[in-house]
Amino acid sequence: FLSVGVVNSLIDVIVFLLAMGAGAPPLLAHIIGFAAGGLNSFLMNGLLTFGRRFADIAQWRTVVPFLGVLAVQFSIGTVTFWLVHHLTGLPIVGKVVAIGITTVA
């Protein structure tokens, strides 16, 4: 579970940096990175951590609760990202702090 979390965070940061490099505004880059990490989390945790088949995890009873947890994490992470980014002027600092806070949450 921890390894999947580390991979999710790396994907989030890499996609965030790529989006920023492509000219996306910081908040949009944050959203895109978070979505990429969240999709990876769903797939890797379902398939590897819990050893399920894709057909088993791609059902409403699995997807809906996961999306609920993801929505809470997204809300916490986005507020954190926005605040830290605006306080420091550094989007990457906002992203790293947001990942740390959502990991704890």
Side-chain angles (χ1 to χ4, degrees), residues 7-55:
V7 172
N8 297 338
S9 297
L10 289 173
I11 289 172
D12 187 352
V13 169
I14 290 167
V15 171
F16 169 77
L17 291 171
L18 289 171
M20 290 277 298
L27 185 58
L28 179 58
H30 163 73
I31 292 168
I32 294 168
F34 184 90
L39 177 60
N40 182 72
S41 176
F42 180 76
L43 294 173
M44 285 186 74
N45 277 311
L47 300 173
L48 299 176
T49 304
F50 298 109
R52 308 282 187 201
R53 294 175 305 132
F54 183 77

Side-chain angles (χ1 to χ4, degrees), residues 26-28 30-32 34 70-86 94-95 97-99 101-102:
L27 185 58
L28 179 58
H30 163 73
I31 292 168
I32 294 168
F34 184 90
L70 207 61
V72 171
Q73 288 182 314
F74 176 76
S75 299
I76 293 167
T78 301
V79 168
T80 302
F81 170 78
W82 188 87
L83 286 172
V84 174
H85 165 58
H86 284 284
K95 181 51 120 174
V97 172
I99 288 172
I101 295 296
T102 57

